[in-house]
Amino acid sequence: MPPIQYNDDEPLYSERPEWSDVQPLEQYENITPLAPIFYSPEYKDATGYLRAVVKSGEKSQRVLGLTESVIRMNPAHYSAWQYRYETLVALIPSDFKTPSTINSPDPLPQILQDEIKLLDQLSTAFLKTYQVWHHRRLLLLLTRQAGHELNFIKKGLIEVDEKNYHTWSYRQWILGSFGGLGGGGTDESGDWQAVDEDLWVGELDFVDMMLAQDVRNNSAWHHRFFVVWGCGVRDGEEDRERVLKRELIYAKQNISLAPNNPSAWNYLRGVLTHTKTPFSPLLPFAIQYIQPLDFGGNEGSGQEPKGIVDLENPPPSETAQLPCVQAMEFVADAWEADALQGDGDQEKLKRAVKVWERLATEHDVIRNKYWEHRIRDAHVAMKKL
């Protein structure tokens, strides 16, 4: 969708009879700046009237129109957003009460319905602007229409930008704030609010769909970790051993599709670290991805006779570009952990050093200083074993 532009056909506010009662305030009133910013006439005109209404404290329907004009010209104008929100709250009918349940069927006041429609348009046009997403959060605390927001986000991620940071973080905020556990929580003001665990239904299916579109979507991988591990345990997920096995298989299968995808390897590491699971049991899987290199200790590498595939340790395809840097790092870290935290076997640490040397000189030269640091630390550790 192309960016929304200010309508040049609209007259300046100084030319509108309905604004004749307001005296605009200049930004640089009674001073001469050394390096003034040269705003367009339309922007200078509108912000002059915005400063005037903020000073007078006016909160009216025409102020909503004024703030919209400023925002369309400068979506990052946080003062315009804040005053718009204050005006919106002031204009909500006095008999309106924030819904006590999520996705209440009771109709919202027309002013809030109109604001949601406008925000759907502005959020799509100004996808990478912090202020528009903050305004959505404030509005959602009033409307409790979390279902609409999740559907809007889903559409935006699929049709506009599947990796947009603001969109993903907003989705996580909604799930954490309105879909939390325990039957209740607090909003940003500290007031009690109801929650709806049904908001989580289908969230893993949504992540699967996004990763099926792009297995390298790091934002989707991060969201999967948030859903599975970062927000408590929901119905059906109580057996964490089963969940751990499921997630390890999921990560390994996706690694086999794109071995050099750092996102999947990072997810695998994150799951193991979060659950305090050692790396070494996954060596049979990871060693497949460092071949044709041989650093010794490849016994139990998981290589099956041709035609037999271990579904829990899927091998790379014949066209995979090996050795995989992420696999080399994983294998070396597993050997190091075994030596330093387990059996004290110096040979494993020596193998890890060989991997880091190849990374520093051949396969990951851009991080050679880091690998040299790992090698120095390993030599120090060997003296203590």
Side-chain angles (χ1 to χ4, degrees):
M1 180 176 180
I4 299 174
Q5 300 295 333
Y6 180 79
N7 188 354
D8 293 333
D9 295 333
E10 291 287 336
L12 298 176
Y13 281 88
S14 59
E15 300 171 350
R16 303 183 189 187
E18 65 271 24
W19 284 92
S20 61
D21 59 314
V22 177
Q23 180 61 41
L25 294 179
E26 296 289 337
Q27 181 173 7
Y28 303 116
E29 192 174 18
N30 300 322
I31 62 173
T32 304
L34 291 175
I37 300 174
F38 291 99
Y39 299 113
S40 69
E42 294 82 6
Y43 185 76
K44 187 176 180 180
D45 170 71
T47 53
Y49 279 84
L50 176 62
R51 283 185 289 271
V53 297
V54 169
K55 183 177 181 179
S56 69
E58 178 184 343
K59 294 180 175 67
S60 62
Q61 195 67 44
R62 71 175 182 175
V63 170
L64 288 180
L66 173 62
T67 54
E68 181 183 342
S69 296
V70 174
I71 287 166
R72 286 179 181 274
M73 290 185 282
N74 178 10
H77 197 308
Y78 54 84
S79 296
W81 280 110
Q82 178 61 29
Y83 201 71
R84 179 178 185 84
Y85 175 73
E86 294 174 7
T87 302
L88 189 71
V89 171
L91 296 179
I92 294 175
S94 58
D95 59 349
F96 170 73
K97 294 182 180 180
T98 299
S100 58
T101 59
I102 310 303
N103 299 323
S104 169
D106 297 334
L108 295 172
Q110 188 62 47
I111 191 171
L112 290 179
Q113 294 182 41
D114 293 342
E115 190 72 5
I116 292 172
K117 292 179 182 178
L118 177 64
L119 271 186
D120 286 353
Q121 182 187 32
L122 296 179
S123 299
T124 304
F126 307 124
L127 199 62
K128 297 184 178 181
T129 303
Y130 289 94
Q131 289 75 12
V132 67
W133 294 105
H134 179 67
H135 190 75
R136 288 196 85 102
R137 290 192 183 198
L138 295 176
L139 188 63
L140 185 54
L141 292 175
L142 292 175
T143 67
R144 298 285 199 264
Q145 298 298 310
H148 170 273
E149 294 298 283
L150 290 180
N151 290 331
F152 171 78
I153 293 168
K154 180 178 180 179
K155 183 178 180 181
L157 288 172
I158 294 174
E159 299 179 1
V160 184
D161 184 353
E162 71 278 7
K163 299 179 181 179
N164 182 261
Y165 165 78
H166 305 292
T167 315
W168 282 106
S169 62
Y170 182 51
R171 189 176 188 90
Q172 291 181 1
W173 176 80
I174 292 172
L175 291 169
S177 298
F178 296 93
L181 303 177
T186 57
D187 60 23
E188 292 181 345
S189 65
D191 296 330
W192 183 91
Q193 65 176 40
V195 296
D196 182 3
E197 292 185 35
D198 288 344
L199 293 177
W200 292 96
V201 175
E203 200 64 16
L204 271 185
D205 291 338
F206 170 67
V207 176
D208 287 346
M209 179 188 67
M210 296 303 296
L211 288 174
Q213 291 181 358
D214 181 5
V215 73
R216 294 175 176 81
N217 187 339
N218 190 60
S219 296
W221 281 105
H222 179 272
H223 190 68
R224 186 178 188 92
F225 191 91
F226 171 83
V227 172
V228 178
W229 306 103
C231 270
V233 180
R234 286 167 293 284
D235 290 344
E237 299 281 288
E238 294 89 353
D239 185 356
R240 300 313 273 175
E241 287 298 321
R242 177 191 61 81
V243 171
L244 171 61
K245 183 177 181 179
R246 180 194 73 195
E247 293 305 301
L248 292 180
I249 292 175
Y250 183 86
K252 288 186 286 186
Q253 288 177 341
N254 278 279
I255 286 172
S256 71
L257 296 176
N260 295 291
N261 173 21
S263 298
W265 284 101
N266 288 338
Y267 182 79
L268 181 65
R269 283 173 167 270
V271 170
L272 295 173
T273 302
H274 181 79
T275 59
K276 297 180 172 57
T277 303
F279 283 19
S280 55
L282 274 74
L283 278 170
F285 165 73
I287 284 174
Q288 301 176 94
Y289 293 80
I290 69 173
Q291 296 175 3
L293 302 181
D294 183 6
F295 300 99
N298 284 359
E299 61 277 1
S301 64
Q303 294 297 302
E304 299 287 347
K306 190 172 182 180
I308 299 178
V309 177
D310 181 354
L311 296 180
E312 292 194 15
N313 294 300
S317 67
E318 294 182 359
T319 59
Q321 296 180 347
L322 302 179
C324 169
V325 168
Q326 290 77 24
M328 292 173 68
E329 183 176 3
F330 185 94
V331 168
D333 287 350
W335 282 334
E336 180 193 41
D338 275 357
L340 299 182
Q341 303 167 18
D343 54 24
D345 186 351
Q346 271 200 13
E347 288 303 313
K348 291 181 179 178
L349 197 52
K350 289 179 181 178
R351 292 178 205 152
V353 169
K354 289 182 181 179
V355 176
W356 293 328
E357 288 173 346
R358 295 291 291 272
L359 285 168
T361 59
E362 297 180 49
H363 302 290
D364 193 22
V365 180
I366 195 170
R367 290 197 292 168
N368 68 313
K369 295 297 181 183
Y370 170 69
W371 300 124
E372 290 170 0
H373 163 72
R374 297 292 299 273
I375 292 168
R376 286 193 299 270
D377 281 359
H379 283 302
V380 172
M382 280 186 216
K383 297 176 182 178
K384 299 178 181 178
L385 291 178

